[in-house]
Amino acid sequence: QVQLVESGGGLVQAGGSLRLSCAASGGTLARYAMGWFRQAPGKEREFVAAISRYGDTTYYEDFVKGRFTISRDNAKNTVALQMNNLKAEDTAVYSCNAGRDHPPSGTYYPDAYWGQGTQVTVSS
């Protein structure tokens, strides 16, 4: 069973950048498509971005397109989320997930493997 651990969160001013990382252990990351989700206080968890098993397909929610980039390194069992031009509304706990994707429909399906999350706070 794969375990996921996120890192890289912190406090940043609006317009700044952060790079989140998700490290996997107990399994081979290349078996899974990977996704990033976030949850702000008092809100539901929402999808941010995902990447196919070998990185050839990426998916982004509209509110991060052009600002966030998801990538993966299967040799290192890691997935990253580069976040640029951060806004106050990006403040949330960000979690990674190991799941499945369906490129023809552009859909990512989260499975049961979640990290504990990392806090991102953007000050305006």
Side-chain angles (χ1 to χ4, degrees):
Q1 183 172 342
V2 64
Q3 288 88 43
L4 304 173
V5 178
E6 302 92 338
S7 61
L11 174 63
V12 64
Q13 289 188 334
S17 299
L18 282 174
R19 184 176 178 85
L20 306 183
S21 182
C22 173
S25 61
T28 302
L29 208 59
R31 294 180 59 188
Y32 304 95
M34 296 295 297
W36 284 96
F37 290 74
R38 70 186 188 186
Q39 187 168 20
K43 295 188 176 181
E44 295 290 320
R45 179 185 284 166
E46 61 183 357
F47 171 78
V48 175
I51 188 167
S52 58
R53 291 172 60 191
Y54 298 104
D56 51 318
T57 305
T58 55
Y59 311 82
Y60 296 97
E61 191 56 76
D62 285 346
F63 53 70
V64 301
K65 284 182 180 178
R67 299 190 299 125
F68 292 10
T69 302
I70 189 170
S71 61
R72 67 189 298 158
D73 186 337
N74 287 342
K76 295 182 178 180
N77 253 13
T78 59
V79 177
L81 185 68
Q82 177 67 41
M83 306 187 296
N84 298 328
N85 191 22
L86 283 161
K87 306 176 181 180
E89 52 264 42
D90 294 318
T91 295
V93 175
Y94 285 71
S95 301
C96 64
N97 173 270
R100 296 164 291 121
D101 70 322
H102 186 247
S105 64
T107 305
Y108 176 80
Y109 298 96
D111 279 342
Y113 307 114
W114 293 91
Q116 83 290 347
T118 185
Q119 176 70 48
V120 172
T121 303
V122 184
S123 62
S124 57

